[in-house]
Amino acid sequence: MTSFQKRIVLKPEVTPSDFELVAWEKDWNLADMGREDAGASIDTWITDDTESEIHFVDDQPIGLAYLTLHGKATDTIEQQIRGSLEAWTLAEAMEALRDAHDSEDRTKSLFTVVLIAPADEDDAVTAQLAPLATDPDQAIRQSFIEATGYLPWPSLVALVEAMAANDSEQAVRENAQLLLEGLEVTGEGPGRAT
C-alpha cells in the first residue's frame, strides 16, 4: 500500500506508547518498525484482517506525529483512533494557526493544517495559508514552501511560483524553485505519503 486515504495528526500529549496501547487493544499487528523516510520514523501496523494499514509517523523535521490510514476500513479506524487518542481537527488546527505568535508555534500549526486539510482545495484553508507566503519572517516563508509539498493545491503552488520569482531572499527563491521542480518531476507533492 503506497498512498493513504486519511491522515490524522496527534496532539503533542499523545506519546508513541499511547498509540501502541490502542494498536494492541485493536489487535493490529506490528509489521515494520522504525523505517526511516526523509528524517521521519515510521512504524507500520496491519489490521487483523490484513485489509488496512496504519502508519505511525514520527516526523521529526516538522516536529509532529501523525497517522496515515490505508486500505478498506479507514473510516472505522479513524473513529477508533479519535475515540481513544487526542487528535487535531481541521477547525482546531486553523484556530491554533490564527492564534500562534512565535515562529515555532506558527510552523507547527501550519504543518498541522496542511497535513489534515482535505484533498480538494478549500477556500477557507487557502485564505488562511496564503498570507504566510509573504510573511515578514523568512522561516515562515520557508515553512510555507515545504508545507506546500504536503498539500500541493494549485493555488498554493501558484504562491510558491511567485515566491520563486519575487521573494527578497535568495534562499527562499531557491527552495521555492526546488519544490516546483520536484512537483514537475513527480506530478505530485513531495510530502510523505507513508
Side-chain angles (χ1 to χ4, degrees):
M1 293 184 194
T2 55
S3 64
F4 60 90
Q5 284 84 35
K6 293 186 183 277
R7 207 164 18 199
I8 300 170
V9 179
L10 301 172
K11 291 191 175 177
E13 61 268 23
V14 178
T15 68
S17 296
D18 295 332
F19 172 75
E20 288 170 12
L21 181 60
V22 171
W24 292 120
E25 288 173 351
K26 303 300 180 193
D27 289 326
W28 300 337
N29 301 301
L30 183 59
D32 187 25
M33 187 172 188
R35 180 172 56 90
E36 293 289 323
D37 182 9
S41 175
I42 304 161
D43 296 342
T44 301
W45 297 78
I46 300 175
T47 55
D48 203 34
D49 63 5
T50 70
E51 297 288 331
S52 301
E53 289 184 8
I54 305 94
H55 296 191
F56 180 94
V57 182
D58 184 5
D59 198 333
Q60 288 299 315
I62 63 172
L64 295 172
Y66 56 90
L67 306 170
T68 57
L69 310 182
H70 315 246
K72 293 184 175 181
T74 56
D75 290 337
T76 300
I77 294 168
E78 180 180 22
Q79 289 174 355
Q80 292 171 336
I81 290 167
R82 289 189 179 277
S84 302
L85 300 171
E86 292 293 318
W88 289 96
T89 65
L90 182 57
E92 289 173 331
M94 289 177 64
E95 182 178 350
L97 181 57
R98 271 191 303 275
D99 294 344
H101 295 292
D102 68 50
S103 186
E104 182 180 345
D105 287 345
R106 293 175 73 208
T107 297
K108 282 189 178 181
S109 297
L110 163 63
F111 280 105
T112 301
V113 169
V114 301
L115 285 169
I116 57 178
D120 296 325
E121 282 206 48
D122 180 292
D123 291 341
V125 174
T126 299
Q128 189 165 354
L129 297 179
L132 301 177
T134 56
D135 194 272
D137 185 341
Q138 178 180 341
I140 296 298
R141 297 196 313 276
Q142 295 276 23
S143 294
F144 177 87
I145 294 165
E146 186 178 349
T148 300
Y150 286 84
L151 189 68
W153 289 346
S155 60
L156 299 181
V157 172
L159 291 168
V160 173
E161 289 172 343
M163 295 170 79
N166 303 315
D167 195 273
S168 60
E169 296 293 330
Q170 180 178 348
V172 173
R173 292 192 307 272
E174 289 173 355
N175 286 336
Q177 187 57 46
L178 283 172
L179 175 70
L180 295 171
E181 290 169 6
L183 291 173
E184 188 174 318
V185 167
T186 63
E188 61 184 0
R192 296 174 189 91
T194 60

